[in-house]
Amino acid sequence: SGIIAKLQALSHSQSELEGYLKRLTVLSRLRNLETVIKRKVEAMPITYDITTDGLYKQGIEQGIEQGIEQKTFQAISNAIEQGILTLEQIAEMLEVSIDTVIQVKNSIEK
């Protein structure tokens, strides 16, 4: 909080302080201190919307993509393990390419 207090003292405007806090957040990621800094900033009486941060948005998008990929992988895996459908039928049912189904099959067999 000493750093944040110094940034507040140095800032001549709200937008300048927000800029400093964004830079601090980016630097905190390098030392795995982002959670600590985020808590300190949220406790401050200023408004700093972390959701507007580019890396935050990128992380959300990647999380969504990974969630979809993981669900698709699991669905393909389950269908293969049931052995009822052909690989082509699985691809058609789950609306993925046959190559994707084959990749999952190969991954399961390893």
Side-chain angles (χ1 to χ4, degrees):
S1 65
I3 294 172
I4 294 173
K6 287 181 182 180
L7 291 175
Q8 285 178 307
L10 291 171
S11 301
H12 300 320
S13 68
Q14 178 73 21
S15 62
E16 187 177 10
L17 177 59
E18 288 177 5
Y20 289 144
L21 293 175
K22 283 182 182 181
R23 290 183 197 108
L24 178 61
T25 302
V26 170
L27 290 173
S28 69
R29 288 184 183 114
L30 298 174
R31 298 281 184 221
N32 294 323
L33 296 172
E34 182 178 6
T35 305
V36 173
I37 297 299
K38 183 180 176 198
R39 266 188 279 137
K40 299 270 186 193
V41 169
E42 287 174 350
M44 294 174 64
I46 63 160
T47 56
Y48 171 66
D49 187 5
I50 189 82
T51 62
T52 62
D53 183 79
L55 291 175
Y56 177 89
K57 289 179 181 179
Q58 182 181 359
I60 293 294
E61 289 172 11
Q62 287 176 351
I64 290 169
E65 289 173 10
Q66 288 173 356
I68 291 169
E69 290 172 10
Q70 188 173 9
K71 286 181 181 180
T72 302
F73 180 92
Q74 192 61 48
I76 294 168
S77 175
N78 290 343
I80 291 171
E81 288 173 1
Q82 288 177 2
I84 298 170
L85 302 173
T86 66
L87 300 182
E88 290 80 9
Q89 290 170 326
I90 294 170
E92 186 177 325
M93 178 183 75
L94 296 176
E95 298 178 349
V96 297
S97 70
I98 187 67
D99 292 335
T100 301
V101 176
I102 292 170
Q103 285 177 342
V104 171
K105 182 177 185 282
N106 292 338
S107 175
I108 293 170
E109 291 174 350
K110 287 183 181 179

